[in-house]
Structures are given as structure tokens and as C-alpha cells.
Amino acid sequence: MELKIKKVRENAKIPTRGTPGSAGLDLYACIDEPIRLCRGETAVIPTGIAIGLSDIHYAAFIHSRSGLAVKHGIGLLNSVGVIDSDYRGEICVGVINQIDEPYEIQPFERIAQMVIKPVEIPEAVVCDDLDETGRGAGGFGSTGKK
């Protein structure tokens, strides 16, 4: 599987791995000036890049960076972003400040990480009945706390 990376903004920084064993590629904020986020505020941060995945059985998943989340409360708006194999637009990262202390995202700061993973594309079958399970139609919390 090949990952093609295209700069869609001249000053974009190509994603990098922090170490050879890193699962994710760090994505950089392609912004000209800092963006200040107070508690509960959100922003959509451009990365300046687009990608091309050569195999439809793969997708890119955008995850929070642990340090930003734990130390500064900066997380992703949608928990995990999904970049489909056929998307060719600019990758942007929706972020939210979840703690009381304001945080400034700096130009070219590492704001998220992108992990490429295989995805199974199932054949959907419409049916009248589903297999029975022990849980059945139990909703949120139906399996208890322990």
C-alpha cells in the first residue's frame, strides 16, 4: 500500500514520525499566527496537505496527540477523524479545549496524529431477523459497571 502526500498550501509541513516505532504520522498546524482556545472553544486547523491511499481497503484515522490531550486538554471534536481512501481534499483537524486554562496552537505545532489502518468492507445484507445474543437489544450501560 502506498501513501501519497501532496502539499495543498505552499508552507505545509509534511507529516513525520516521532520515532521509527511510531504508529502515527504527526500532523502539523498550517497556520500563519497562533489560535487561542478558551474552555469549550473549537477550531478547525488546516494541515496544508492532502493524501492519496492506493488501496480502498485502507483508511487514515486522525487521533489526538496524547501530550496535548493530557497536559493541555486539547482533543478532537469528533474523537477520531476518518479519511476515506477516495478523499483527496485538504486534511483539517477539528479541535476543542476541554479544560479551564486557555491554550494557544502555534504555527506548525504538531496537533494530531494520522494512523493508516486496514478496513474491512463488508457486504451488507438486508434481512428480517438477526442472530440472538446474550445482550440482545440492551442499550447503553446494559452490561453493568463491573
Short mmCIF file of all heavy atoms in Angstrom, two decimals, residues 5-66:
data_model
loop_
_atom_site.label_atom_id
_atom_site.label_comp_id
_atom_site.label_asym_id
_atom_site.label_seq_id
_atom_site.Cartn_x
_atom_site.Cartn_y
_atom_site.Cartn_z
N ILE A 5 1.46 11.95 -0.44
CA ILE A 5 1.19 13.17 0.31
C ILE A 5 1.45 14.35 -0.60
O ILE A 5 2.52 14.46 -1.20
CB ILE A 5 2.09 13.26 1.57
CG1 ILE A 5 1.85 12.05 2.47
CG2 ILE A 5 1.84 14.57 2.31
CD1 ILE A 5 2.80 11.94 3.64
N LYS A 6 0.45 15.23 -0.70
CA LYS A 6 0.55 16.41 -1.56
C LYS A 6 0.38 17.66 -0.71
O LYS A 6 -0.53 17.74 0.11
CB LYS A 6 -0.56 16.36 -2.62
CG LYS A 6 -0.64 17.58 -3.49
CD LYS A 6 -1.84 17.50 -4.42
CE LYS A 6 -2.00 18.80 -5.19
NZ LYS A 6 -3.21 18.78 -6.04
N LYS A 7 1.26 18.63 -0.91
CA LYS A 7 1.09 19.93 -0.27
C LYS A 7 0.01 20.70 -1.03
O LYS A 7 0.11 20.87 -2.24
CB LYS A 7 2.39 20.74 -0.30
CG LYS A 7 3.45 20.27 0.66
CD LYS A 7 4.63 21.24 0.63
CE LYS A 7 5.67 20.89 1.65
NZ LYS A 7 6.74 21.90 1.70
N VAL A 8 -1.01 21.14 -0.32
CA VAL A 8 -2.04 21.97 -0.93
C VAL A 8 -1.89 23.43 -0.50
O VAL A 8 -2.60 24.30 -0.98
CB VAL A 8 -3.47 21.45 -0.65
CG1 VAL A 8 -3.68 20.08 -1.28
CG2 VAL A 8 -3.76 21.39 0.84
N ARG A 9 -0.97 23.67 0.42
CA ARG A 9 -0.56 25.01 0.82
C ARG A 9 0.96 25.03 0.75
O ARG A 9 1.62 24.10 1.22
CB ARG A 9 -1.02 25.34 2.25
CG ARG A 9 -2.54 25.40 2.39
CD ARG A 9 -2.91 25.61 3.85
NE ARG A 9 -4.33 25.46 4.03
CZ ARG A 9 -5.15 26.44 4.40
NH1 ARG A 9 -4.66 27.64 4.65
NH2 ARG A 9 -6.43 26.21 4.54
N GLU A 10 1.50 26.09 0.19
CA GLU A 10 2.94 26.16 -0.05
C GLU A 10 3.78 25.94 1.20
O GLU A 10 4.82 25.28 1.16
CB GLU A 10 3.27 27.53 -0.67
CG GLU A 10 4.70 27.65 -1.13
CD GLU A 10 4.96 28.97 -1.81
OE1 GLU A 10 4.13 29.39 -2.65
OE2 GLU A 10 6.00 29.60 -1.49
N ASN A 11 3.32 26.46 2.33
CA ASN A 11 4.11 26.38 3.56
C ASN A 11 3.80 25.15 4.41
O ASN A 11 4.25 25.06 5.55
CB ASN A 11 3.94 27.65 4.39
CG ASN A 11 2.50 27.87 4.81
OD1 ASN A 11 1.56 27.33 4.22
ND2 ASN A 11 2.30 28.69 5.83
N ALA A 12 3.05 24.19 3.88
CA ALA A 12 2.69 22.99 4.64
C ALA A 12 3.94 22.19 5.01
O ALA A 12 4.93 22.17 4.27
CB ALA A 12 1.75 22.12 3.82
N LYS A 13 3.84 21.53 6.15
CA LYS A 13 4.91 20.66 6.61
C LYS A 13 4.46 19.21 6.41
O LYS A 13 3.36 18.84 6.83
CB LYS A 13 5.22 20.95 8.08
CG LYS A 13 6.48 20.32 8.57
CD LYS A 13 6.89 20.90 9.91
CE LYS A 13 8.16 20.20 10.37
NZ LYS A 13 8.62 20.65 11.65
N ILE A 14 5.30 18.42 5.80
CA ILE A 14 4.98 17.01 5.53
C ILE A 14 4.95 16.26 6.87
O ILE A 14 5.82 16.45 7.72
CB ILE A 14 6.02 16.39 4.57
CG1 ILE A 14 5.99 17.11 3.21
CG2 ILE A 14 5.81 14.90 4.40
CD1 ILE A 14 4.67 17.00 2.48
N PRO A 15 3.94 15.38 7.08
CA PRO A 15 3.86 14.61 8.33
C PRO A 15 5.12 13.78 8.57
O PRO A 15 5.75 13.30 7.62
CB PRO A 15 2.66 13.69 8.10
CG PRO A 15 1.85 14.37 7.05
CD PRO A 15 2.83 15.08 6.17
N THR A 16 5.47 13.65 9.86
CA THR A 16 6.66 12.88 10.24
C THR A 16 6.32 11.92 11.37
O THR A 16 5.34 12.11 12.09
CB THR A 16 7.79 13.81 10.72
OG1 THR A 16 7.33 14.55 11.85
CG2 THR A 16 8.24 14.76 9.62
N ARG A 17 7.17 10.91 11.54
CA ARG A 17 7.07 10.01 12.69
C ARG A 17 8.02 10.52 13.76
O ARG A 17 9.14 10.90 13.48
CB ARG A 17 7.47 8.60 12.28
CG ARG A 17 6.39 7.87 11.54
CD ARG A 17 6.70 6.37 11.42
NE ARG A 17 5.50 5.67 11.05
CZ ARG A 17 4.99 5.66 9.84
NH1 ARG A 17 5.57 6.33 8.87
NH2 ARG A 17 3.87 4.99 9.57
N GLY A 18 7.56 10.47 15.02
CA GLY A 18 8.40 10.91 16.12
C GLY A 18 9.60 10.00 16.32
O GLY A 18 10.69 10.46 16.65
N THR A 19 9.38 8.71 16.14
CA THR A 19 10.44 7.71 16.26
C THR A 19 10.19 6.64 15.19
O THR A 19 9.07 6.56 14.66
CB THR A 19 10.44 7.02 17.64
OG1 THR A 19 9.25 6.22 17.76
CG2 THR A 19 10.52 8.03 18.78
N PRO A 20 11.18 5.80 14.90
CA PRO A 20 10.96 4.75 13.90
C PRO A 20 9.82 3.78 14.28
O PRO A 20 9.18 3.21 13.41
CB PRO A 20 12.30 4.01 13.86
CG PRO A 20 13.31 5.02 14.29
CD PRO A 20 12.59 5.86 15.32
N GLY A 21 9.54 3.65 15.58
CA GLY A 21 8.48 2.75 16.02
C GLY A 21 7.12 3.40 16.16
O GLY A 21 6.15 2.75 16.55
N SER A 22 7.01 4.69 15.86
CA SER A 22 5.73 5.40 15.99
C SER A 22 4.71 4.85 14.99
O SER A 22 5.00 4.72 13.81
CB SER A 22 5.91 6.89 15.75
OG SER A 22 6.74 7.47 16.72
N ALA A 23 3.51 4.57 15.48
CA ALA A 23 2.44 4.08 14.60
C ALA A 23 1.85 5.20 13.77
O ALA A 23 1.39 4.97 12.66
CB ALA A 23 1.34 3.42 15.44
N GLY A 24 1.85 6.42 14.32
CA GLY A 24 1.21 7.54 13.64
C GLY A 24 2.20 8.53 13.06
O GLY A 24 3.35 8.63 13.50
N LEU A 25 1.73 9.24 12.07
CA LEU A 25 2.46 10.36 11.49
C LEU A 25 1.93 11.64 12.13
O LEU A 25 0.71 11.86 12.16
CB LEU A 25 2.22 10.43 9.97
CG LEU A 25 2.81 9.31 9.14
CD1 LEU A 25 2.12 9.22 7.79
CD2 LEU A 25 4.30 9.56 8.96
N ASP A 26 2.81 12.46 12.66
CA ASP A 26 2.39 13.72 13.26
C ASP A 26 1.93 14.70 12.19
O ASP A 26 2.59 14.88 11.16
CB ASP A 26 3.54 14.35 14.06
CG ASP A 26 3.85 13.58 15.33
OD1 ASP A 26 2.93 12.98 15.91
OD2 ASP A 26 5.02 13.61 15.76
N LEU A 27 0.77 15.33 12.44
CA LEU A 27 0.22 16.35 11.55
C LEU A 27 0.50 17.72 12.16
O LEU A 27 0.36 17.91 13.36
CB LEU A 27 -1.28 16.15 11.37
CG LEU A 27 -1.71 14.84 10.71
CD1 LEU A 27 -3.23 14.74 10.70
CD2 LEU A 27 -1.16 14.74 9.30
N TYR A 28 0.85 18.67 11.30
CA TYR A 28 1.26 20.00 11.75
C TYR A 28 0.21 21.05 11.40
O TYR A 28 -0.40 20.99 10.32
CB TYR A 28 2.59 20.38 11.09
CG TYR A 28 3.73 19.48 11.50
CD1 TYR A 28 3.97 18.29 10.83
CD2 TYR A 28 4.54 19.81 12.57
CE1 TYR A 28 5.02 17.45 11.21
CE2 TYR A 28 5.59 18.98 12.97
CZ TYR A 28 5.82 17.80 12.28
OH TYR A 28 6.85 16.98 12.67
N ALA A 29 0.03 22.01 12.30
CA ALA A 29 -0.90 23.12 12.06
C ALA A 29 -0.31 24.04 11.00
O ALA A 29 0.74 24.63 11.20
CB ALA A 29 -1.13 23.89 13.35
N CYS A 30 -0.99 24.16 9.88
CA CYS A 30 -0.54 25.03 8.79
C CYS A 30 -1.28 26.36 8.93
O CYS A 30 -2.21 26.67 8.19
CB CYS A 30 -0.81 24.36 7.44
SG CYS A 30 -0.04 25.22 6.06
N ILE A 31 -0.85 27.13 9.93
CA ILE A 31 -1.47 28.42 10.23
C ILE A 31 -0.38 29.49 10.29
O ILE A 31 0.78 29.19 10.54
CB ILE A 31 -2.27 28.38 11.56
CG1 ILE A 31 -1.40 27.88 12.72
CG2 ILE A 31 -3.51 27.49 11.40
CD1 ILE A 31 -2.09 27.85 14.08
N ASP A 32 -0.78 30.74 10.04
CA ASP A 32 0.19 31.84 10.00
C ASP A 32 0.39 32.51 11.35
O ASP A 32 1.41 33.14 11.58
CB ASP A 32 -0.26 32.89 8.98
CG ASP A 32 -0.24 32.34 7.57
OD1 ASP A 32 0.66 31.54 7.25
OD2 ASP A 32 -1.14 32.71 6.79
N GLU A 33 -0.60 32.39 12.24
CA GLU A 33 -0.49 33.00 13.56
C GLU A 33 -1.16 32.10 14.58
O GLU A 33 -1.98 31.25 14.22
CB GLU A 33 -1.10 34.40 13.57
CG GLU A 33 -2.53 34.45 13.10
CD GLU A 33 -3.01 35.88 12.92
OE1 GLU A 33 -2.28 36.69 12.31
OE2 GLU A 33 -4.12 36.17 13.39
N PRO A 34 -0.81 32.24 15.85
CA PRO A 34 -1.41 31.38 16.88
C PRO A 34 -2.93 31.49 16.92
O PRO A 34 -3.50 32.54 16.61
CB PRO A 34 -0.79 31.90 18.19
CG PRO A 34 0.46 32.58 17.78
CD PRO A 34 0.17 33.17 16.42
N ILE A 35 -3.56 30.40 17.32
CA ILE A 35 -5.01 30.36 17.53
C ILE A 35 -5.23 30.05 19.01
O ILE A 35 -4.81 29.00 19.49
CB ILE A 35 -5.69 29.30 16.64
CG1 ILE A 35 -5.52 29.68 15.17
CG2 ILE A 35 -7.17 29.16 17.02
CD1 ILE A 35 -6.04 28.64 14.21
N ARG A 36 -5.87 30.98 19.71
CA ARG A 36 -6.12 30.83 21.15
C ARG A 36 -7.49 30.19 21.37
O ARG A 36 -8.49 30.65 20.82
CB ARG A 36 -6.06 32.19 21.83
CG ARG A 36 -6.27 32.15 23.33
CD ARG A 36 -6.20 33.58 23.88
NE ARG A 36 -6.63 33.66 25.25
CZ ARG A 36 -5.83 33.57 26.30
NH1 ARG A 36 -4.54 33.40 26.13
NH2 ARG A 36 -6.32 33.65 27.52
N LEU A 37 -7.49 29.14 22.18
CA LEU A 37 -8.73 28.45 22.51
C LEU A 37 -8.96 28.50 24.02
O LEU A 37 -8.12 28.04 24.79
CB LEU A 37 -8.68 26.98 22.08
CG LEU A 37 -8.60 26.68 20.59
CD1 LEU A 37 -8.43 25.19 20.36
CD2 LEU A 37 -9.83 27.20 19.88
N CYS A 38 -10.09 29.06 24.43
CA CYS A 38 -10.51 29.01 25.83
C CYS A 38 -11.37 27.77 26.03
O CYS A 38 -11.74 27.10 25.07
CB CYS A 38 -11.28 30.28 26.19
SG CYS A 38 -10.23 31.76 26.14
N ARG A 39 -11.73 27.49 27.27
CA ARG A 39 -12.53 26.30 27.58
C ARG A 39 -13.78 26.22 26.70
O ARG A 39 -14.51 27.19 26.56
CB ARG A 39 -12.94 26.29 29.04
CG ARG A 39 -13.78 25.05 29.39
CD ARG A 39 -14.18 25.03 30.86
NE ARG A 39 -14.91 23.83 31.18
CZ ARG A 39 -14.37 22.64 31.45
NH1 ARG A 39 -13.08 22.50 31.41
NH2 ARG A 39 -15.12 21.61 31.74
N GLY A 40 -13.96 25.07 26.09
CA GLY A 40 -15.14 24.82 25.27
C GLY A 40 -15.06 25.37 23.86
O GLY A 40 -15.91 25.08 23.04
N GLU A 41 -14.04 26.16 23.57
CA GLU A 41 -13.92 26.71 22.22
C GLU A 41 -13.34 25.67 21.26
O GLU A 41 -12.55 24.81 21.66
CB GLU A 41 -13.05 27.97 22.21
CG GLU A 41 -13.73 29.15 22.87
CD GLU A 41 -12.94 30.43 22.76
OE1 GLU A 41 -11.68 30.38 22.79
OE2 GLU A 41 -13.57 31.49 22.65
N THR A 42 -13.76 25.80 20.01
CA THR A 42 -13.32 24.87 18.98
C THR A 42 -12.67 25.62 17.83
O THR A 42 -12.87 26.83 17.67
CB THR A 42 -14.51 24.05 18.44
OG1 THR A 42 -15.42 24.94 17.78
CG2 THR A 42 -15.22 23.30 19.55
N ALA A 43 -11.92 24.89 17.04
CA ALA A 43 -11.32 25.45 15.83
C ALA A 43 -11.09 24.31 14.84
O ALA A 43 -10.92 23.15 15.24
CB ALA A 43 -10.00 26.14 16.15
N VAL A 44 -11.10 24.66 13.59
CA VAL A 44 -10.73 23.71 12.53
C VAL A 44 -9.36 24.15 12.03
O VAL A 44 -9.20 25.26 11.52
CB VAL A 44 -11.77 23.69 11.40
CG1 VAL A 44 -11.31 22.77 10.28
CG2 VAL A 44 -13.13 23.25 11.93
N ILE A 45 -8.39 23.28 12.23
CA ILE A 45 -6.99 23.61 11.95
C ILE A 45 -6.57 22.95 10.64
O ILE A 45 -6.57 21.71 10.53
CB ILE A 45 -6.06 23.13 13.08
CG1 ILE A 45 -6.57 23.61 14.45
CG2 ILE A 45 -4.62 23.57 12.81
CD1 ILE A 45 -6.59 25.10 14.64
N PRO A 46 -6.18 23.74 9.64
CA PRO A 46 -5.71 23.14 8.39
C PRO A 46 -4.31 22.55 8.56
O PRO A 46 -3.51 23.06 9.35
CB PRO A 46 -5.70 24.33 7.42
CG PRO A 46 -5.52 25.53 8.29
CD PRO A 46 -6.19 25.20 9.60
N THR A 47 -4.04 21.48 7.83
CA THR A 47 -2.70 20.88 7.84
C THR A 47 -1.91 21.23 6.59
O THR A 47 -0.70 21.03 6.56
CB THR A 47 -2.77 19.35 7.96
OG1 THR A 47 -3.38 18.82 6.78
CG2 THR A 47 -3.52 18.92 9.21
N GLY A 48 -2.61 21.70 5.56
CA GLY A 48 -1.92 22.06 4.32
C GLY A 48 -1.58 20.89 3.43
O GLY A 48 -0.89 21.05 2.43
N ILE A 49 -2.06 19.69 3.80
CA ILE A 49 -1.75 18.51 2.99
C ILE A 49 -3.03 17.78 2.59
O ILE A 49 -4.07 17.89 3.24
CB ILE A 49 -0.83 17.52 3.73
CG1 ILE A 49 -1.51 16.95 4.97
CG2 ILE A 49 0.53 18.15 4.05
CD1 ILE A 49 -0.97 15.62 5.44
N ALA A 50 -2.91 17.02 1.52
CA ALA A 50 -3.93 16.06 1.10
C ALA A 50 -3.19 14.74 0.91
O ALA A 50 -1.97 14.72 0.71
CB ALA A 50 -4.59 16.51 -0.20
N ILE A 51 -3.92 13.65 1.02
CA ILE A 51 -3.28 12.34 0.86
C ILE A 51 -4.02 11.51 -0.19
O ILE A 51 -5.19 11.76 -0.50
CB ILE A 51 -3.21 11.55 2.18
CG1 ILE A 51 -4.61 11.22 2.70
CG2 ILE A 51 -2.37 12.28 3.20
CD1 ILE A 51 -4.62 10.21 3.85
N GLY A 52 -3.31 10.53 -0.69
CA GLY A 52 -3.90 9.55 -1.60
C GLY A 52 -3.51 8.16 -1.12
O GLY A 52 -2.32 7.84 -1.02
N LEU A 53 -4.50 7.36 -0.79
CA LEU A 53 -4.26 5.97 -0.40
C LEU A 53 -4.48 5.11 -1.64
O LEU A 53 -5.50 5.25 -2.32
CB LEU A 53 -5.20 5.55 0.72
CG LEU A 53 -5.03 6.31 2.04
CD1 LEU A 53 -6.20 6.04 2.98
CD2 LEU A 53 -3.73 5.90 2.70
N SER A 54 -3.56 4.23 -1.92
CA SER A 54 -3.61 3.45 -3.16
C SER A 54 -4.50 2.22 -3.09
O SER A 54 -4.68 1.54 -4.09
CB SER A 54 -2.19 3.04 -3.56
OG SER A 54 -1.64 2.18 -2.57
N ASP A 55 -5.05 1.93 -1.93
CA ASP A 55 -5.84 0.71 -1.74
C ASP A 55 -7.13 1.06 -1.00
O ASP A 55 -7.08 1.63 0.09
CB ASP A 55 -5.01 -0.29 -0.94
CG ASP A 55 -5.64 -1.66 -0.80
OD1 ASP A 55 -6.89 -1.78 -0.80
OD2 ASP A 55 -4.88 -2.64 -0.65
N ILE A 56 -8.29 0.69 -1.57
CA ILE A 56 -9.57 1.02 -0.94
C ILE A 56 -9.79 0.26 0.36
O ILE A 56 -10.73 0.56 1.09
CB ILE A 56 -10.76 0.79 -1.88
CG1 ILE A 56 -10.92 -0.70 -2.20
CG2 ILE A 56 -10.63 1.62 -3.14
CD1 ILE A 56 -12.25 -1.04 -2.84
N HIS A 57 -8.95 -0.69 0.67
CA HIS A 57 -9.08 -1.46 1.90
C HIS A 57 -8.29 -0.83 3.06
O HIS A 57 -8.05 -1.47 4.08
CB HIS A 57 -8.65 -2.90 1.68
CG HIS A 57 -9.57 -3.61 0.73
ND1 HIS A 57 -9.29 -3.74 -0.60
CD2 HIS A 57 -10.78 -4.18 0.92
CE1 HIS A 57 -10.28 -4.37 -1.19
NE2 HIS A 57 -11.19 -4.65 -0.29
N TYR A 58 -7.87 0.43 2.88
CA TYR A 58 -7.18 1.19 3.91
C TYR A 58 -7.86 2.54 4.09
O TYR A 58 -8.47 3.07 3.16
CB TYR A 58 -5.70 1.41 3.56
CG TYR A 58 -4.86 0.17 3.76
CD1 TYR A 58 -4.83 -0.83 2.80
CD2 TYR A 58 -4.13 -0.01 4.92
CE1 TYR A 58 -4.08 -1.98 2.98
CE2 TYR A 58 -3.37 -1.16 5.11
CZ TYR A 58 -3.35 -2.13 4.14
OH TYR A 58 -2.61 -3.27 4.33
N ALA A 59 -7.74 3.10 5.27
CA ALA A 59 -8.21 4.45 5.55
C ALA A 59 -7.21 5.08 6.51
O ALA A 59 -6.44 4.39 7.18
CB ALA A 59 -9.61 4.41 6.18
N ALA A 60 -7.25 6.41 6.58
CA ALA A 60 -6.41 7.14 7.53
C ALA A 60 -7.31 7.57 8.69
O ALA A 60 -8.44 8.00 8.48
CB ALA A 60 -5.78 8.35 6.86
N PHE A 61 -6.80 7.42 9.90
CA PHE A 61 -7.55 7.78 11.10
C PHE A 61 -6.78 8.85 11.84
O PHE A 61 -5.59 8.70 12.11
CB PHE A 61 -7.77 6.55 11.98
CG PHE A 61 -8.62 5.50 11.29
CD1 PHE A 61 -8.04 4.56 10.46
CD2 PHE A 61 -10.00 5.49 11.46
CE1 PHE A 61 -8.82 3.62 9.81
CE2 PHE A 61 -10.78 4.55 10.81
CZ PHE A 61 -10.20 3.62 9.98
N ILE A 62 -7.46 9.95 12.16
CA ILE A 62 -6.84 11.08 12.85
C ILE A 62 -7.13 10.94 14.34
O ILE A 62 -8.29 10.88 14.75
CB ILE A 62 -7.36 12.42 12.31
CG1 ILE A 62 -7.29 12.48 10.78
CG2 ILE A 62 -6.60 13.58 12.96
CD1 ILE A 62 -5.92 12.26 10.20
N HIS A 63 -6.09 10.88 15.14
CA HIS A 63 -6.19 10.72 16.59
C HIS A 63 -5.57 11.91 17.30
O HIS A 63 -4.68 12.58 16.76
CB HIS A 63 -5.45 9.45 17.04
CG HIS A 63 -6.01 8.19 16.50
ND1 HIS A 63 -7.03 7.51 17.10
CD2 HIS A 63 -5.68 7.47 15.39
CE1 HIS A 63 -7.31 6.42 16.41
NE2 HIS A 63 -6.51 6.38 15.37
N SER A 64 -6.00 12.15 18.53
CA SER A 64 -5.38 13.17 19.38
C SER A 64 -3.94 12.79 19.66
O SER A 64 -3.58 11.61 19.66
CB SER A 64 -6.11 13.28 20.73
OG SER A 64 -7.42 13.71 20.56
N ARG A 65 -3.13 13.79 19.94
CA ARG A 65 -1.78 13.55 20.45
C ARG A 65 -1.91 13.47 21.96
O ARG A 65 -2.52 14.35 22.59
CB ARG A 65 -0.82 14.67 20.04
CG ARG A 65 -0.60 14.68 18.53
CD ARG A 65 0.57 15.53 18.11
NE ARG A 65 1.80 14.86 18.54
CZ ARG A 65 2.64 15.36 19.45
NH1 ARG A 65 2.40 16.50 20.05
NH2 ARG A 65 3.73 14.70 19.78
N SER A 66 -1.38 12.44 22.54
CA SER A 66 -1.53 12.20 23.98
C SER A 66 -1.07 13.38 24.82
O SER A 66 -1.74 13.78 25.77
CB SER A 66 -0.75 10.95 24.40
OG SER A 66 -1.23 9.83 23.72
#
